Amino acid sequence: MDPQELRERLRKADAQLAFHKSIIDKLTHENAILKRLKFAAKSEVYNAEQKSLLEETLDTDLAAVAAEIEALQATRSSPAEKQQPKREKLPANLPRREIHHEPENTTCGCGETLQRIGEDVAEKLDYQPGVFTVERHIRGKWVCRCCEKITQAPVPAHVIDKGVPTAGLLAQVLVAKYLDHLPLYRQEAIFERAGHVIARSTLAQWVGECGIQLQPLVDALAAELLRHGVLHADETPVAMLKPGAGKTHRAYLWSYCTTQFNPIQGVVFDFADSRGGQHVRDFLKLSATSAKPGWGGKLVTDDFSGYKACFELGVTEVGCMAHARRKFHELWVNHGSPVGEQALKFFATLYDLEREVARAGSGTRLELRRRRSRPVADALHQWMRQQRQKIPDGSATAKAIDYSLRRWDALTRFLEDGNLPIDNNWVENRIRPIALGRQNWLFAGSLRAGKRAAAAMSLIHSAKLNGHDPYAYIRDVLTRLPTHPASRIEELLPHRWQQS
């Protein structure tokens, strides 16, 4: 080998080693912080529910960090050097289902027939809603008397290597936590009633390890969304419990999804510890330089200022007519305003026309909007300008009218493109179920737990959008992930998934 080439390879290997070492050091430091937080949480004053939620989150974070460190380790200890905790046997009273794994060929290479001399049995805990069962994986041992060579079927791959839960049990825990808003301490009680106690610390470890395994799939889903020219965006506050402070901090769950007119249905949630617009720009891969142009499509949003910088970087703003309508609805409901009542009639006509064209193709929708909706929108615009001249500055009515007039170009952009929706309600409906579980949204101080929850919900809610049973989807994905090629990860996305 050429010396110059050899030196270059060594340089790259050293750089890669240094990079991995820096990540391992960072994760090790984070691991130590989480352990201290877990100890501190025991001595701080929380109510019982807050304390339970915090402890299960810290346990999940610890498991996730440990899984990342293990994946990055250049050298691993041999099984003999690594002390494994002794696992309790699964209860004998649980129903058992035997799954046999035998070699496909029981003839040795020398031509002799193999003789079965024994078997290895591994038990895994499975769960169907309300019922525990045990899978007995039996791997027969076969030997060639001539060669004294032992043959066995390989150990089936699992998401949690050498773990006790099946993909079905893991899917149940994830769906219950992130779709049904059941924290792990409640699931612990449910499992106990079903006949087997699983400590919430164990459940937390499973959630953490599954989060690491599912992240590449969520990254692929986010990349899929950015291939489309029209997206919705919205954000909602959630509580984040910070150990050491003894109180909650307002964090935000950002959501991005394709429109109802798009045949590709998907939603991605992104957890952040603030409402800063940088989080949106990071998701859309936007930067202030032209060297790396990010997503340049049309973004449907409300009037939150955090989105404004995106529109200066090549993204086209599409306003939400529902937000404009809401201002006038408040005037009419709270004050009986005649101006509010008249404005609502204009909005009602626009929405009636939208319901008529909802199932039409993009071209047909655009033609009907131009012919029927545009005159209504123009009449509304002229009427608001006339009313504004009669109303004093600073009044609630003036503010409602100014909101629409200031954003009129963005609000009526749907009249120029048949692929655009009239409002942002589609993504608001995606994020609305999150409000039902806000009381269970208490995260640790790091962003890890919040981002893991956002990732799991992205897959679960995208599965629902595509008409799948979320439990069946997550179970199948967890079953296939360990052996699925990374180059074909997109086959497991909810809009492409076909149950195996």
Side-chain angles (χ1 to χ4, degrees):
M1 181 181 296
D2 181 65
Q4 182 65 27
E5 183 181 351
L6 180 59
R7 283 193 293 271
E8 181 63 20
R9 287 192 179 185
L10 288 174
R11 187 190 65 77
K12 290 181 178 179
D14 289 343
Q16 187 72 10
L17 184 62
F19 175 70
H20 281 177
K21 185 178 183 303
S22 66
I23 295 179
I24 291 173
D25 290 343
K26 173 180 175 293
L27 292 172
T28 302
H29 177 67
E30 184 178 348
N31 198 41
I33 292 175
L34 289 169
K35 287 181 178 179
R36 286 199 298 273
L37 290 176
K38 183 177 179 180
F39 176 78
K42 297 180 183 297
S43 60
E44 292 189 17
V45 180
Y46 297 114
N47 64 46
E49 184 171 351
Q50 285 181 326
K51 185 175 180 181
S52 178
L53 289 167
L54 177 57
E55 287 182 350
E56 72 180 43
T57 300
L58 289 170
D59 284 332
T60 310
D61 284 349
L62 285 166
V65 172
E68 289 189 53
I69 292 175
E70 184 178 354
L72 289 168
Q73 290 288 1
T75 58
R76 299 185 182 183
S77 303
S78 65
E81 296 172 340
K82 191 175 180 180
Q83 290 186 348
Q84 295 286 351
K86 188 175 181 181
R87 182 185 297 142
E88 294 185 7
K89 291 184 177 180
L90 296 176
N93 63 307
L94 294 181
R96 278 162 166 74
R97 177 167 58 94
E98 294 188 350
I99 302 174
H100 290 267
H101 308 275
E102 304 293 352
E104 294 182 0
N105 187 358
T106 56
T107 300
C108 183
C110 68
E112 292 290 328
T113 301
L114 301 177
Q115 304 294 318
R116 202 173 193 276
I117 60 171
E119 62 189 25
D120 288 330
V121 179
E123 293 192 335
K124 293 190 173 292
L125 188 63
D126 194 20
Y127 181 82
Q128 298 289 338
V131 180
F132 277 113
T133 58
V134 176
E135 287 184 357
R136 287 174 53 84
H137 291 260
I138 302 172
R139 299 167 56 233
K141 293 181 178 180
W142 296 75
V143 67
C144 174
R145 299 296 184 187
C146 175
C147 303
E148 297 185 354
K149 176 184 176 182
I150 294 179
T151 299
Q152 261 188 313
V155 177
H158 292 275
V159 168
I160 299 181
D161 189 33
K162 299 180 181 178
V164 71
T166 65
L169 179 53
L170 294 173
Q172 172 64 29
V173 174
L174 291 174
V175 171
K177 180 175 176 65
Y178 295 124
L179 179 62
D180 301 327
H181 314 297
L182 288 175
L184 298 182
Y185 76 89
R186 293 182 188 169
Q187 294 193 53
E188 181 184 32
I190 292 172
F191 290 149
E192 183 176 5
R193 293 197 300 271
H196 183 58
V197 178
I198 307 176
R200 73 193 69 171
S201 59
T202 300
L203 295 173
Q205 292 172 9
W206 294 351
V207 171
E209 294 187 43
C210 286
I212 297 298
Q213 298 288 340
L214 291 172
Q215 189 58 51
L217 192 56
V218 180
D219 294 340
L221 181 59
E224 173 65 39
L225 258 61
L226 295 180
R227 295 189 187 104
H228 297 272
V230 184
L231 292 178
H232 290 273
D234 197 16
E235 77 291 334
T236 188
V238 293
M240 183 171 72
L241 188 60
K242 282 193 172 182
K247 59 183 180 181
T248 59
H249 163 73
R250 173 167 283 198
Y252 283 84
L253 191 70
W254 300 76
S255 60
Y256 308 89
C257 71
T258 50
T259 72
Q260 61 181 320
F261 305 134
N262 196 322
I264 304 298
Q265 290 295 300
V267 57
V268 172
F269 297 103
D270 185 31
F271 180 83
D273 60 353
S274 74
R275 205 184 183 192
Q278 184 60 45
H279 300 300
V280 185
R281 298 193 291 277
D282 288 344
F283 181 85
L284 299 179
K285 311 296 183 187
L286 298 174
S287 64
T289 65
S290 58
K292 291 184 178 180
W295 184 77
K298 299 177 180 179
L299 192 65
V300 189
T301 69
D302 56 23
D303 196 33
F304 172 51
S305 59
Y307 300 109
K308 300 304 180 185
C310 298
F311 308 137
E312 299 172 1
L313 296 172
V315 175
T316 301
E317 179 182 14
V318 180
C320 174
M321 195 66 80
H323 277 77
R325 177 191 177 278
R326 202 169 296 159
K327 307 289 184 183
F328 292 99
H329 183 264
E330 291 172 356
L331 289 177
W332 179 64
V333 170
N334 297 328
H335 309 293
S337 166
V339 173
E341 182 180 12
Q342 180 59 40
L344 289 178
K345 292 180 180 179
F346 281 108
F347 284 109
T349 302
L350 287 174
Y351 272 90
D352 286 341
L353 294 171
E354 281 302 302
R355 279 188 284 271
E356 289 184 28
V357 301
R359 297 186 179 276
S362 174
T364 303
R365 186 181 304 112
L366 177 59
E367 191 276 328
L368 290 174
R369 282 174 172 175
R370 285 175 172 173
R371 181 162 51 87
R372 301 176 60 189
S373 299
R374 171 64 75 178
V376 178
D378 290 344
L380 172 60
H381 188 219
Q382 182 179 0
W383 175 83
M384 284 194 293
R385 293 176 64 182
Q386 293 173 347
Q387 293 298 318
R388 183 63 183 88
Q389 296 175 3
K390 306 174 185 178
I391 298 170
D393 295 341
S395 65
T397 304
K399 290 180 180 179
I401 295 177
D402 287 344
Y403 177 90
S404 293
L405 292 179
R406 187 178 65 250
R407 305 194 71 226
W408 190 251
D409 287 344
L411 288 172
T412 56
R413 199 150 275 145
F414 76 100
L415 298 173
E416 305 164 4
D417 186 342
N419 292 315
L420 297 181
I422 189 175
D423 57 34
N424 209 28
N425 286 349
W426 186 253
V427 71
E428 290 187 3
N429 290 335
R430 306 286 76 75
I431 213 168
R432 186 168 290 119
I434 307 306
L436 300 176
R438 274 204 180 106
Q439 63 190 29
N440 302 324
W441 284 76
L442 298 172
F443 298 119
S446 73
L447 295 180
R448 182 178 296 274
K451 289 187 174 296
R452 179 178 54 249
M457 289 190 304
S458 297
L459 296 176
I460 289 171
H461 286 271
S462 292
K464 284 186 63 180
L465 269 177
N466 286 275
H468 305 315
D469 172 14
Y471 170 79
Y473 170 73
I474 296 296
R475 177 173 184 159
D476 187 63
V477 165
L478 291 177
T479 300
R480 295 161 63 177
L481 262 182
T483 57
H484 194 83
S487 60
R488 292 164 42 201
I489 193 70
E490 292 184 351
E491 294 176 3
L492 300 182
L493 292 177
H495 61 277
R496 295 184 180 177
W497 174 72
Q498 293 183 346
Q499 190 164 9
S500 60

